Every structure is written in C-alpha cells, then in structure tokens.
Amino acid sequence: VIFGDGYCSGPNQVKLGVIDKDFRDYFAGISEAWLGIRPNSHEYIRRGKLYYEAHINSRDVRNFVFDFLKCKNVPKEIMVSKDERIKCMFIKGFSDSEGTISEQCIRIYNKNLPLLKSVKELFIDIGFDSKYVRCGYHGRGIYATYIYRHSFKIFKEKIGFTINRKKEKLEE
C-alpha cells in the first residue's frame, strides 16, 4: 500500500485514498492491529466518484513510511525473507493498490520500473513460472508487471485480492 495508494501528507499524516471502501476498511483494520491507532476515515466526491480515505495522525508513523518511500524499491527485508507469507502480503497490498484484472492478465502499474522488476522477482520466489510474469512499458511513463491467465490459480491460492470487485473477477 505504501508504494501504491498510500502517501505522506504534511509533517504528521499518512493517508490512503481509494475508490474501494472495503480496501480502505481493511487498511484501517491492519493499521489498528499493527500500530494500535485507528485511522480516521471519511468519504468525499472526487472527479464525480465516491472516494474513501483513511489517515493516521502520527509523526512517528509518517517518518517511518517516509523512510520506506525513500528507498523506492521493495524493502530488502522483504526481498530476502525466508517467510513466503511476508512476500505474499507485500504483493497482495501492492496488487490491491496498483493492480487491475482482465480475462487475460493481472496488471500491476507503476512509474517505477525497478520496483516492478523487484515485484516480479517476488512472484518468481514464491513459485510463479517466469514465463507467465513479465515487466514492460505500458505507455505514458507507466510500466506494468503482467501476470498471465495461466498463473491466476496460483495467484488466487497464494496471494488473492482484498478488494471484492477484484476477487470476483479472479473467480470468473
């Protein structure tokens, strides 16, 4: 989430802004369990769409997230972890935040190609066949990691989505 829809705002805030209420609420629950802080949540209209936001007011949390964002890559602790669940949870948060699903593939978008290549490495580390996980230029300064339909079953079993509309597409 940190590398996707989450961001730092001002000297004391971390925010998540999304179009899926279930994702915002999941983030709020994880944040409360991890930090002991229940994020403030609200809804508003942005570009004609209902938008959901959660924010945490904490200088310490903001500084922690900001330090993570400076590295601009999957944190080393995740890349070298022997615990597959840690890698899967990172991919899940990133896929929920930056991913989309169609009949042919799951695409995870970002402007940061080295980050997407590291995410591709995580997929391969947890058992995805490298023939079905690709990185490439998508257009307009955006890159994508593509997970092809052949790998949907393993994606569903090991990673999945938090967002209901994406879960439903994966089930089709």
Side-chain angles (χ1 to χ4, degrees):
V1 174
I2 291 172
F3 291 106
D5 295 319
Y7 59 98
C8 294
S9 177
N12 298 321
Q13 281 193 341
V14 173
K15 293 183 176 184
L16 173 76
V18 294
I19 60 169
D20 296 284
K21 183 180 185 296
D22 52 342
F23 188 46
R24 189 255 338 246
D25 294 345
Y26 178 78
F27 170 80
I30 293 291
S31 297
E32 185 172 19
W34 180 56
L35 302 167
I37 301 170
R38 182 74 183 172
N40 296 316
S41 298
H42 65 277
E43 302 162 8
Y44 57 93
I45 303 294
R46 179 178 170 195
R47 296 184 199 135
K49 283 187 171 184
L50 189 55
Y51 210 69
Y52 302 91
E53 188 173 89
H55 65 270
I56 299 167
N57 292 306
S58 167
R59 184 178 298 264
D60 291 338
V61 173
R62 188 256 184 224
N63 290 342
F64 176 80
V65 170
F66 192 74
D67 287 344
F68 247 107
L69 291 172
K70 279 195 260 183
C71 81
K72 298 185 186 243
N73 211 329
V74 177
K76 179 182 156 198
E77 296 82 359
I78 294 171
M79 291 300 295
V80 300
S81 177
K82 302 286 185 223
D83 188 343
E84 187 175 276
R85 294 171 303 169
I86 290 171
K87 293 177 179 185
C88 290
M89 290 306 290
F90 180 88
I91 295 169
K92 183 176 190 166
F94 197 60
S95 299
D96 273 323
S97 215
E98 299 293 280
T100 185
I101 182 170
S102 69
E103 288 183 21
Q104 295 82 22
C105 66
I106 296 167
R107 289 182 218 67
I108 304 168
Y109 299 106
N110 203 278
K111 291 181 179 181
N112 183 339
L113 182 58
L115 173 63
L116 289 174
K117 286 182 176 181
S118 293
V119 171
K120 176 185 174 182
E121 285 180 45
L122 290 177
F123 276 110
I124 294 165
D125 285 351
I126 64 169
F128 282 69
D129 187 329
S130 62
K131 293 185 294 193
Y132 302 107
V133 181
R134 298 272 186 240
C135 284
Y137 186 67
H138 187 72
R140 297 185 179 177
I142 303 291
Y143 297 90
T145 296
Y146 302 88
I147 299 89
Y148 294 99
R149 183 162 195 78
H150 179 76
S151 298
F152 279 16
K153 183 178 180 198
I154 190 171
F155 186 93
K156 181 178 151 187
E157 291 169 356
K158 290 194 172 199
I159 299 163
F161 287 111
T162 302
I163 298 171
N164 287 328
R165 67 182 169 82
K166 292 181 182 181
K167 275 187 203 174
E168 289 166 6
K169 279 191 173 182
L170 189 58
E171 295 291 330
E172 293 175 359

